[in-house]
Amino acid sequence: MRVFLLCLFTFLCSAILRNVSAQSSQELIESLDEADTDGERYGILYDLTGILLESGRKTDRDLAVSFSKQLLTTSKRMGDSKLIGPAAFTLALAYQKQRDDRLTDRFMEEAVTHGMKAGDADLILRAVSERTRLAAKRQNYREATRINQQALDFFTKNGQDNNIDALRARLEKEQAALQRRRREVEQQTSKLSGEVDRLSREKNQLEGTNTQLQRENQTRNQQLAESAEELAARNEELEKTQEQKAAVEKRVAETRREIKSLSREALEQKAIANDAREQLMEAELETQAAEIKAERQTFQLYAAIGVGTGLFLLAALFFSRFRVKQRSAQKLSIANDALDEARKKSDELLENILPAEIAKELKETGKARARQFPDATVLFCDFVNFTATAERLGAEALVQELDVCFKAFDAIMDRYPGVEKIKTIGDAYMAASGLSSRKSVPHDIIRAALEMQRFLTEEGDKRRMLGLPYFTGRIGLHTGTVVAGVVGARKFAYDIWGDTVNVASRVESQSEPGRVNVSGSTYEMIRYRFRCTYRGKVEAKNKGMIDMYFVEEELSAAH
C-alpha cells in the first residue's frame, strides 16, 4: 500500500510539473535541491530529462545523460520496476542523442527487463524496436531476431494478444527487411570478391608484363651501348683512312707537277732516284716497325707486371680493410647487444617501479606530470597484532615472513591488469585501481583483496599446524578522487594523494581480521557483482560516520 501511494504521489507530481509550461529547465534544477523525498526527485528528474532531450544543444545532451543517471539511481533506490524501466529507457535515449550505440543498447535492454517485470507493453515494444535497429546497424541479424523472439515469447506467455499480433507483424516485417539486407550484403560481397579477383589477375598480368619490359629494356640498352662502341671505332678508322687518302692524293698531285716540268732524262733520273729513295724508305720503315714491335712487346710485359702487382696490392688492401671492418662489426655487434640488454633491463626495472603509462611518458619526455583520477579505488592491508607477533618471530624470521606475504600480494596484483601496487609502509600494503584514462569499476581490486585474505588464511593454517606464529590481516577499500604522480629526482617513487587515501586508511582500521571492509562509495559500484553485508554507519577517526560493508563473496551469476 505504501509503495502504491508513493507511486501515485510520484506521478501526480510529474503531471503537475508537466502542466507548468512556463517553468524552465533551470527552475527544475533549482527545485531539485528542495525535493524532500525520492518520489519528488523522480518526478522532477523525469520532466527535466524530457526537456533536455528535446533540446538540440550539445550541453543539454550532456546534462540529459547526467540527470538520467540520477533518475535511474533514484528509481532503483525506490525499488519499483514500473519506475526503473522508464528511467532506463530515458537514459538510453540520452546516450542515443550522444550517438553511443553500446550504452544505448545496454540501457534499452535494462528497460526491456524491467518493462517485463512491470508488464509495460508499450515500453517493451519501443525498447525492442530500438534494440532491433541497433543490431541491424551492426549487421548482427541473429541478435535482432533473438531480441524480437524474446519479446514475442513474453507476450505469448502473458496472453497479450494485441501486443502479440503487433509484435509478430513487426517481427515478420523486420525479418523480411533483415533478409533483404542480408541478400544485398551477400550480393555486394560476392561482387566485391569477384572484383578483387579480377584486379588481382590484372595486377599479376601487369607485373609479368612489367618484368618482361624491364628485361627487354635492359637487352636493348646493352645492344645500344655495343652499337655505340662499334660506331665510334668505325668513325675512328674512317678518319684515319681519310687522312691517308688525303696524303696519297697530295703526293700524286706533286708527282704530276714534277713530271710535267722535267724532261725525259730528268724523268728517268728522277724515277731512278725515286726508286732508290722508296727502297731506302721501305728499309727504314721495316726497321722502325721492328723497333716499334719490340717496344710494344716490352711495354706489354711491363704493363702486365704492373697490372698484376697493382691487382695484388689492391687485393691485399681490400682484404685488410675487410678484416678490420669485420672485427669492428663484431665489436659493434657485441656492444649493441650489451646496450640492448642494459636498456631492456632498465625498461623492465622502470616498468616494475611505475605503471606502464607513467613509465612510457618518463622514457619519452624525461618527466611525468601529475594526474587526477576521479574514480580511483584505494586498498590498504595491515597485519593484526604485528608488534606482538614480531617479538615472537625475531628480526630475521620477521623479515622473511613479511617477504613471503608481500611477494604473494605482488603476484596477486600482477594477475589483475588494472590494479597497481603503490608501496609498502612497514607492515602495511597499499594498492589502487582506476589510475588510467580508461573508465573502470573496482571489480578486480575487490577480487584481489579477497584473494589476499585467502592467502593469509591458508598460510596461517600451515604455520599453525607447525606451531609457528602467523599473520592475520585487515583490508579496507574506498573509492574517490586521487592525485597521482612521480616524486623525487633520485630513487623516485610513484605515489597517490588525496582525502580518498585517508578515508581508505580509516576504513581499513575499522575492518576485522580476515575480512574485506569497503565504504559506501565502493559498495555502490560493486553491489551487483559481490554479496556484501551492511555494517551500518561506523565512526571513522576525523571523518565522522561512514557507511561500511563487509564483502562476503562474488556472485556466481556475475561470471
Side-chain angles (χ1 to χ4, degrees):
M1 188 64 182
R2 182 181 299 174
V3 174
F4 174 78
L5 291 175
L6 183 60
C7 295
L8 181 60
F9 179 75
T10 300
F11 284 110
L12 287 175
C13 290
S14 300
I16 293 171
L17 289 172
R18 281 194 294 269
N19 290 331
V20 183
S21 58
Q23 188 174 22
S24 64
S25 60
Q26 184 61 35
E27 292 172 343
L28 288 173
I29 293 173
E30 292 174 356
S31 64
L32 188 62
D33 296 333
E34 300 174 358
D36 296 328
T37 65
D38 284 340
E40 293 179 359
R41 288 180 58 83
Y42 185 91
I44 295 171
L45 287 169
Y46 192 84
D47 284 345
L48 179 58
T49 52
I51 293 173
L52 294 173
L53 286 173
E54 292 176 358
S55 174
R57 294 182 300 178
K58 183 179 182 303
T59 54
D60 287 347
R61 291 198 298 270
D62 295 338
L63 286 174
V65 171
S66 176
F67 286 115
S68 295
K69 289 180 179 178
Q70 295 183 33
L71 177 65
L72 182 58
T73 302
T74 302
S75 65
K76 288 182 177 179
R77 194 160 51 239
M78 296 172 68
D80 189 350
S81 293
K82 292 182 179 180
L83 302 180
I84 298 175
F89 187 79
T90 301
L91 182 54
L93 292 178
Y95 279 119
Q96 185 185 55
K97 288 288 186 178
Q98 291 190 338
R99 298 183 179 178
D100 191 332
D101 291 346
R102 183 182 65 83
L103 291 177
T104 300
D105 184 68
R106 172 187 166 187
F107 288 103
M108 284 293 178
E109 182 180 12
E110 186 171 349
V112 171
T113 301
H114 288 283
M116 289 180 177
K117 290 180 181 179
D120 190 342
D122 183 63
L123 176 63
I124 296 171
L125 290 173
R126 286 189 294 162
V128 165
S129 176
E130 180 58 27
R131 293 198 67 206
T132 302
R133 185 189 67 81
L134 293 174
K137 182 179 178 181
R138 298 192 300 269
Q139 296 185 1
N140 192 346
Y141 307 112
R142 181 176 296 176
E143 176 67 12
T145 303
R146 186 194 66 78
I147 291 169
N148 282 275
Q149 187 63 46
Q150 182 184 16
L152 182 61
D153 293 342
F154 170 78
F155 288 129
T156 303
K157 182 178 179 181
N158 289 274
Q160 298 183 16
D161 297 334
N162 294 334
N163 293 323
I164 291 173
D165 294 338
L167 186 59
R168 182 177 287 111
R170 180 179 296 178
L171 177 59
E172 292 175 354
K173 182 179 179 181
E174 293 289 345
Q175 287 179 340
L178 292 176
Q179 290 295 334
R180 288 196 301 273
R181 180 58 179 165
R182 181 181 293 175
R183 287 194 296 271
E184 291 175 359
V185 170
E186 290 176 352
Q187 292 174 359
Q188 292 177 357
T189 303
S190 177
K191 184 177 179 181
L192 289 174
S193 178
E195 187 69 17
V196 169
D197 292 340
R198 185 183 65 78
L199 292 175
S200 179
R201 289 194 299 270
E202 291 182 357
K203 178 185 176 183
N204 293 334
Q205 292 176 358
L206 289 174
E207 289 179 350
T209 304
N210 187 30
T211 302
Q212 184 178 357
L213 290 174
Q214 288 180 351
R215 287 198 297 267
E216 292 178 357
N217 190 28
Q218 291 177 355
T219 303
R220 289 175 182 175
N221 289 337
Q222 186 176 0
Q223 291 175 354
L224 287 173
E226 293 175 355
S227 299
E229 292 177 356
E230 184 177 356
L231 181 61
R234 289 183 180 179
N235 287 334
E236 186 176 357
E237 291 177 359
L238 181 60
E239 290 177 356
K240 290 180 180 179
T241 302
Q242 288 177 350
E243 291 176 356
Q244 292 175 358
K245 180 180 178 181
V248 170
E249 289 177 352
K250 182 178 179 181
R251 182 178 295 178
V252 169
E254 291 177 353
T255 302
R256 286 177 179 175
R257 285 195 298 271
E258 290 177 354
I259 289 173
K260 289 179 180 179
S261 61
L262 296 176
S263 60
R264 184 176 179 182
E265 292 132 0
L267 184 60
E268 291 176 355
Q269 293 178 358
K270 184 71 172 178
I272 294 171
N274 284 337
D275 290 338
R277 189 181 299 110
E278 288 177 358
Q279 292 176 358
L280 181 60
M281 289 178 66
E282 289 178 358
E284 290 179 354
L285 288 173
E286 289 178 357
T287 302
Q288 290 177 358
E291 291 177 353
I292 290 171
K293 184 177 181 181
E295 289 178 356
R296 183 178 297 169
Q297 291 176 349
T298 303
F299 175 75
Q300 290 176 351
L301 178 61
Y302 288 158
I305 294 172
V307 169
T309 304
L311 290 175
F312 175 76
L313 293 175
L314 187 61
L317 177 61
F318 284 160
F319 180 74
S320 176
R321 287 175 62 84
F322 171 73
R323 292 293 299 169
V324 170
K325 188 174 181 179
Q326 191 177 36
R327 287 195 295 271
S328 299
Q330 291 176 351
K331 292 179 180 179
L332 182 60
S333 178
I334 293 171
N336 287 335
D337 292 341
L339 182 61
D340 290 340
E341 184 66 23
R343 185 182 293 111
K344 183 179 179 182
K345 290 181 179 179
S346 175
D347 291 345
E348 289 177 353
L349 180 60
L350 192 62
E351 291 176 358
N352 191 37
I353 296 173
L354 305 175
E357 291 184 4
I358 302 300
K360 181 180 179 182
E361 183 180 356
L362 196 62
K363 287 188 292 184
E364 291 177 351
T365 64
K367 60 182 180 179
R369 59 185 177 85
R371 300 180 183 180
Q372 184 174 2
F373 301 100
D375 295 315
T377 300
V378 181
L379 177 149
F380 273 99
C381 177
D382 194 9
F383 294 124
V384 181
N385 297 327
F386 177 75
T387 303
T389 306
E391 292 175 353
R392 295 178 58 194
L393 282 172
E396 185 175 352
L398 173 65
V399 173
Q400 184 177 359
E401 184 62 18
L402 280 176
D403 185 58
V404 170
C405 292
F406 286 165
K407 281 183 178 178
F409 291 172
D410 290 346
I412 291 170
M413 299 305 161
D414 290 341
R415 286 196 284 272
Y416 299 99
V419 181
E420 294 284 350
K421 173 189 176 182
I422 303 301
K423 60 184 175 181
T424 58
I425 312 166
D427 64 319
Y429 189 93
M430 181 180 177
S433 68
L435 303 179
S436 67
S437 55
R438 183 168 56 87
K439 184 175 179 60
S440 62
V441 290
H443 293 159
D444 281 347
I445 197 169
I446 297 295
R447 295 187 183 104
L450 293 173
E451 197 169 341
M452 291 166 69
Q453 288 292 18
R454 284 195 293 272
F455 167 78
L456 290 176
T457 300
E458 294 171 0
E459 183 71 11
D461 292 341
K462 294 177 185 176
R463 294 182 65 83
R464 187 167 50 253
M465 292 176 62
L466 298 173
L468 298 174
Y470 58 91
F471 289 131
T472 57
R474 294 186 302 262
I475 296 180
L477 300 97
H478 176 63
T479 302
T481 301
V482 300
V483 175
V486 177
V487 294
R490 293 185 301 107
K491 297 183 179 180
F492 51 81
Y494 183 74
D495 207 347
I496 58 177
W497 303 270
D499 188 61
T500 299
V501 178
N502 299 329
V503 174
S505 177
R506 301 293 188 270
V507 173
E508 177 272 322
S509 65
Q510 292 299 326
S511 183
E512 294 179 0
R515 306 300 296 269
V516 175
N517 190 34
V518 299
S519 67
S521 63
T522 305
Y523 168 75
E524 290 297 329
M525 301 183 74
I526 67 168
R527 57 188 298 187
Y528 298 111
R529 190 64 64 93
F530 295 88
R531 184 171 64 84
C532 302
T533 301
Y534 181 52
R535 302 179 60 195
K537 292 188 178 293
V538 181
E539 176 70 24
K541 184 179 179 181
N542 298 328
K543 297 298 176 183
M545 305 299 289
I546 298 178
D547 287 321
M548 295 189 188
Y549 300 79
F550 279 140
V551 181
E552 304 295 347
E553 62 180 353
E554 187 169 4
L555 298 175
S556 59
H559 295 288

